[in-house]
């Protein structure tokens, strides 16, 4: 195998041949003896390869990775296609309902009610977590959530039509549109999950390395974690211990580029333990020039898992990679979102706040404490008082020691158990947001006692405080409630991903998906 410093002559070269008379273009791989060989790599990459010839290499690069980065956040192409197809189906469902029923006037603006219905239903689907790349539910779960989203979208549309009569339609049209939308989304999901099972949208990935760093890829065991790639195997690097699964470690005879092209490799992940050893720069460069993506391990895990993997992280990656934007526009947009959202939450939930106050006073007596203030660590390590509805006994920490809440914690009151499950105890924190101590989206603030301990034991824990803490966050969506140092380590990886990639669009997506956490009670204790 010609890897490392060994001199290997390339056995073929790739050229583009254009026939002006027939207006055809073909991509050939020509061996050194002149015989043409058609070599395409990637089951799904074939169509993109043709597009790259016709429209440029950037089209191929986008298609071969099968992930889209929108405002610094990675989205898998199949999820994006499903979301776009859902919106189209929702729009056509109500528009066709108007066309199928009597009294259809083609001159009227029937697209307006269809636009309202499709947009509100799409927002509801997004809020219920239908388009989360880490979703574990399969066809049935996705279908049930889609049905719930369409019902919520229909209810919201009815309210809009009531408030704006010029856009309204008959009730029977809305019911028929909802029924067509249910059928359409069911058929769409049947096709979608059948296609996903066929690996049409997955990249064929080869890992260069078989040691400790490479073994971290094996931790992506869930089907949702492997939505974007198929692991072809591991190539042993010089100096690596064989920590990865032995049956997946490959024996390659020949050059790396020949093997990659022959086995339809779309992407090579560099995961060697020690790059000072015989690092195959020339072989990887040959692969890159052939259109095969070369990705660093941390970047791969960031894209696929939505987190910064601390066990394989190098400080240089944090310094040289993109993200960590703190422009004036980012700060202005974030503060504007915080203020608008806070006023809306207060306007919509003040009856619930009043009900929480009354029930706490009824359970514990008129003189009991309702609002609980607790010191937390905020932006740049500054301390502030976090506001919450009291959900524990007033003597919960009489021993003076800070403790994490646990499952079925005996310190929680009956009213406290209910408002914790419904997340109502967090409502007073909107006043922390208005004051500027917190943002609506960000890492959850921790107590100083925990922070000082975690700063000493967990690397990069201080870096999570370079943005404002939030009421909700990326870690809350991706990881259940944590009550240990191990949980803090896991959540930190998602917090660092947010710190690195946060922007207005990402914040809006997190806010919408937080509804799933609230309605389904995920992570509440």
């Amino acid at each position: 195998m010609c890897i490392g410093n060994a001199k290997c002559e390339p056995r073929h070269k790739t050229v583009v041949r254009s026939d002006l008379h027939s207006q055809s273009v073909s991509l050939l791989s020509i061996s050194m003896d002149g015989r043409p060989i058609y070599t395409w790599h990637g089951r799904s990459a074939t169509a993109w390869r043709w597009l790259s010839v016709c429209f440029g290499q950037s089209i191929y690069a986008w298609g071969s990775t099968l992930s889209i980065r929108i405002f610094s956040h990675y989205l898998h192409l199949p999820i994006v296609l499903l979301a776009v197809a859902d919106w189209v189906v929702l729009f056509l469902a109500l528009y066709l309902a108007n066309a199928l029923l009597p009294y259809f006037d083609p001159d009227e603006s029937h697209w307006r009610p269809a636009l309202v219905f499709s947009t509100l239903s799409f927002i509801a689907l997004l809020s219920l977590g239908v388009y989360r790349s880490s979703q574990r539910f399969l066809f049935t779960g996705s279908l049930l959530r889609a049905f719930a989203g369409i019902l919520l979208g229909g209810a919201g549309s009815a309210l809009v039509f009531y408030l704006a009569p010029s856009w309204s339609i008959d009730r029977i049209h809305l019911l028929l549109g909802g029924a067509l939308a249910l059928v359409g989304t069911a058929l769409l999901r049947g096709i979608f999950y059948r296609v996903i099972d066929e690996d049409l949208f997955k990249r064929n990935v080869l890992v260069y390395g078989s040691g400790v760093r490479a073994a971290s890829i094996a931790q992506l065991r869930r089907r949702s974690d492997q939505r974007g790639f198929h692991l072809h195997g591991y190539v042993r690097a010089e100096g690596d211990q064989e920590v990865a699964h032995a049956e997946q470690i490959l024996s390659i005879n020949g050059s790396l580029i020949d093997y990659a092209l022959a086995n339809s490799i779309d992407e090579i992940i560099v995961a060697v333990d020690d790059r000072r050893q015989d690092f195959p720069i020339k072989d990887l460069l040959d692969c890159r020039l052939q259109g095969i993506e070369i990705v660093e391990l941390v970047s791969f895990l960031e894209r696929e898992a939505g987190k910064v993997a601390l066990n394989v992280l190098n400080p240089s990656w944090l310094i040289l990679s993109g993200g960590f934007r703190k422009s004036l526009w980012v700060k202005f947009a974030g503060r504007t979102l915080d203020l608008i959202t806070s006023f809306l939450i207060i306007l919509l939930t003040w009856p619930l706040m009043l009900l929480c106050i009354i029930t706490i006073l009824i359970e514990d007596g008129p003189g009991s404490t309702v609002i609980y203030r607790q010191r937390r660590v905020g932006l740049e390590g500054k301390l502030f008082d976090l506001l919450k509805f009291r959900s524990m006994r007033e003597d919960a920490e009489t021993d003076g020691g800070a403790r994490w809440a646990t499952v079925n914690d005996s310190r929680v009151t009956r009213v406290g158990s209910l408002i914790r499950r419904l997340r109502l105890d967090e409502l007073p924190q909107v006043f922390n947001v208005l004051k500027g101590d917190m943002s609506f989206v960000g890492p959850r603030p921790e107590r100083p006692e925990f922070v000082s301990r975690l700063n000493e034991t967990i690397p990069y824990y201080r870096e999570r405080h370079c943005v404002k803490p939030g009421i909700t966050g990326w870690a809350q969506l991706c990881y259940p409630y944590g009550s240990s140092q191990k949980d803090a380590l896991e959540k930190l990886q998602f917090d660092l991903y947010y710190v690195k990639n946060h922007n207005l669009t990402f914040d809006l997506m997190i806010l919408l998906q937080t509804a799933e956490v609230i309605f389904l009670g995920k992570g509440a204790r």
Side-chain angles (χ1 to χ4, degrees), residues 9 19 30 43 51 69 76 81 106 126 131 153 168 173 211 230 262 279 295 334 349 363 411 417 430 488 517:
E9 295 296 330
D19 188 345
I30 302 179
R43 295 178 295 275
L51 288 175
R69 191 168 189 175
H76 290 305
L81 293 178
L126 185 62
Y131 306 118
S168 65
H173 288 187
H230 165 73
F279 192 71
V295 181
T349 63
E363 183 179 31
R411 299 173 296 167
S417 177
V430 296
V517 178

Side-chain angles (χ1 to χ4, degrees), residues 133-152:
S133 59
S134 59
Q135 56 180 309
R136 299 188 188 187
F137 49 87
L138 299 179
F139 176 77
T140 304
S142 177
L143 193 60
L144 290 175
R145 293 181 185 229
F147 286 1
I150 292 171
L151 292 177
L152 290 173

Side-chain angles (χ1 to χ4, degrees), residues 2-225:
C2 299
I3 295 180
N5 295 328
K7 295 182 179 180
C8 300
E9 295 296 330
R11 296 171 60 183
H12 62 274
K13 59 182 179 179
T14 301
V15 298
V16 177
R17 184 178 68 190
S18 176
D19 188 345
L20 297 179
H21 297 286
S22 61
Q23 296 182 348
S24 64
V25 181
S26 61
L27 185 68
L28 300 180
S29 181
I30 302 179
S31 62
M32 297 308 291
D33 59 4
R35 292 181 290 105
I37 308 172
Y38 291 85
T39 57
W40 309 91
H41 70 275
R43 295 178 295 275
S44 59
T46 303
W48 297 110
R49 177 75 79 178
W50 278 103
L51 288 175
S52 70
V53 174
C54 300
F55 300 107
Q57 185 65 22
S58 60
I59 294 292
Y60 170 71
W62 176 74
S64 64
T65 60
L66 294 172
S67 291
I68 302 174
R69 191 168 189 175
I70 301 177
F71 298 108
S72 302
H73 182 61
Y74 292 102
L75 300 174
H76 290 305
L77 181 59
I79 302 297
V80 175
L81 293 178
L82 177 64
V84 172
D86 270 342
W87 189 90
V88 173
V89 167
L90 294 169
F91 180 88
L92 291 177
L94 195 61
Y95 192 89
L96 290 176
N98 288 324
L100 292 174
L101 291 175
Y103 312 114
F104 174 74
D105 187 356
D107 296 328
E108 293 186 12
S109 299
H110 293 285
W111 62 270
R112 290 179 179 175
L115 180 64
V116 171
F117 173 75
S118 58
T119 302
L120 292 180
S121 298
F122 181 79
I123 292 175
L125 293 175
L126 185 62
S127 301
L128 292 173
V130 173
Y131 306 118
R132 285 180 60 187
S133 59
S134 59
Q135 56 180 309
R136 299 188 188 187
F137 49 87
L138 299 179
F139 176 77
T140 304
S142 177
L143 193 60
L144 290 175
R145 293 181 185 229
F147 286 1
I150 292 171
L151 292 177
L152 290 173
S157 301
L159 178 61
V160 171
F161 297 152
Y162 175 78
L163 297 175
S166 60
W167 285 29
S168 65
I169 57 176
D170 291 339
R171 196 174 304 169
I172 186 64
H173 288 187
L174 183 59
L175 291 174
L176 179 59
L180 291 176
L182 293 175
V183 174
T185 52
L187 293 175
L188 183 61
R189 271 152 182 75
I191 298 172
F192 176 77
Y193 282 98
R194 186 176 184 86
V195 168
I196 290 298
D197 289 340
E198 294 296 329
D199 293 344
L200 177 62
F201 293 104
K202 290 187 177 183
R203 296 177 310 282
N204 195 20
V205 166
L206 179 67
V207 181
Y208 183 75
S210 59
V212 176
R213 290 172 60 85
S216 62
I217 298 177
Q219 298 175 6
L220 303 177
R221 301 185 185 94
R222 299 180 306 177
R223 181 178 180 271
S224 58
D225 291 334

Side-chain angles (χ1 to χ4, degrees), residues 235-249:
V235 176
R236 189 180 184 279
E238 189 70 27
D240 276 4
Q241 298 178 356
E242 294 188 359
V243 179
H245 296 295
E247 66 275 9
Q248 291 185 295
I249 298 178

Side-chain angles (χ1 to χ4, degrees), residues 408-482:
N408 299 321
D409 200 313
S410 60
R411 299 173 296 167
V412 178
T413 64
R414 287 178 297 176
V415 172
S417 177
L418 177 62
I419 63 176
R420 276 173 171 260
R421 192 179 306 117
L422 299 176
R423 303 290 178 135
L424 298 178
D425 61 322
E426 312 281 356
L427 285 177
Q429 291 171 36
V430 296
F431 297 102
N432 287 118
V433 175
L434 287 175
K435 187 180 177 182
D437 292 330
M438 296 177 63
S439 179
F440 242 95
V441 180
R444 285 295 293 163
E446 293 291 352
R447 302 176 66 173
E449 299 88 343
F450 298 149
V451 171
S452 60
R453 189 190 315 159
L454 296 172
N455 281 339
E456 296 175 357
T457 56
I458 300 179
Y460 306 106
Y461 194 82
R462 289 182 177 87
E463 278 63 33
R464 74 191 296 272
H465 298 122
C466 68
V467 297
K468 287 183 180 181
I471 298 177
T472 184
W474 181 239
Q476 280 64 48
L477 294 180
C478 299
Y479 195 82
Y481 185 90

